[in-house]
C-alpha cells in the first residue's frame, strides 16, 4: 500500500494494448526516484521509444530503446546537465536541445 504522502508519486510507464484489461499491462519503465515526472515519445515511424525523467526544473535524463531490437534494455543517452532539455525524435536520429 502506498503511503498517503506518496500518492502523487510512483509514476511508471506501462505498455497497454487497447481492448485489453489494464491489469495485464507490462511495466516498461519505473524511475528509481519516485518523484520523477515521466514523459514518453516515439519516432515518427514508431521504431524508437524515448523516455524523459524530469526531476525538478533543471534535471532531465533521457532514455532510448529500439523497439525493432530484441534487446529490451533502455540506453541512457543524456544525464547530468543543468538544463531542462527536450528531445525531437526523427526516423533515423534524434535531436536533444
Amino acid at each position: 500500500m502506498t503511503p498517503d504522502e506518496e500518492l502523487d508519486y510512483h509514476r511508471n510507464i506501462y505498455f497497454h494494448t487497447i481492448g485489453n484489461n489494464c491489469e495485464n499491462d507490462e511495466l516498461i519503465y519505473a524511475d528509481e526516484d519516485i518523484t520523477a515526472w515521466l514523459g514518453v515519445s516515439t519516432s515518427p515511424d514508431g521504431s524508437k521509444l524515448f523516455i524523459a525523467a524530469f526531476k525538478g526544473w533543471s534535471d532531465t535524463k533521457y532514455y532510448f530503446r529500439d523497439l525493432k531490437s530484441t534487446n529490451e534494455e533502455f540506453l541512457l543517452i543524456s544525464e547530468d546537465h543543468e538544463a531542462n532539455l527536450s528531445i525531437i525524435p526523427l526516423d533515423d536520429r534524434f535531436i536533444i536541445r
Side-chain angles (χ1 to χ4, degrees), residues 29 31 33 36-39 50-63 76-87 96-97:
Y29 180 82
D31 200 90
D33 182 344
W37 286 91
L38 304 177
F50 298 90
I51 293 178
F54 301 99
K55 298 170 188 171
W57 292 103
S58 63
D59 182 9
T60 308
K61 291 182 182 178
Y62 275 101
Y63 298 87
L76 178 63
I77 57 174
S78 177
E79 71 172 334
D80 297 330
H81 299 283
E82 289 287 328
N84 191 352
L85 303 173
S86 62
I87 197 162
I96 298 176
R97 60 176 180 161

Side-chain angles (χ1 to χ4, degrees), residues 46-49 64-73:
S47 68
K48 295 164 189 64
L49 178 67
F64 163 80
R65 181 170 148 192
D66 184 347
L67 298 176
K68 291 184 178 178
S69 171
T70 57
N71 182 359
E72 294 185 359
E73 297 292 318

Side-chain angles (χ1 to χ4, degrees), residues 41-42 44 50 62 86-91 93-97:
S41 57
T42 58
F50 298 90
Y62 275 101
S86 62
I87 197 162
I88 301 169
L90 305 170
D91 284 337
R93 65 193 73 158
F94 56 90
I95 300 168
I96 298 176
R97 60 176 180 161

Side-chain angles (χ1 to χ4, degrees), residues 1-44:
M1 180 96 171
T2 303
D4 286 346
E5 63 272 10
E6 294 182 13
L7 288 177
D8 290 333
Y9 301 121
H10 300 279
R11 300 169 193 101
N12 298 321
I13 298 171
Y14 293 86
F15 181 82
H16 177 73
T17 301
I18 295 179
N20 289 352
N21 188 323
C22 64
E23 293 177 359
N24 300 325
D25 291 354
E26 175 189 357
L27 177 65
I28 299 295
Y29 180 82
D31 200 90
E32 69 268 0
D33 182 344
I34 64 166
T35 67
W37 286 91
L38 304 177
V40 179
S41 57
T42 58
S43 60

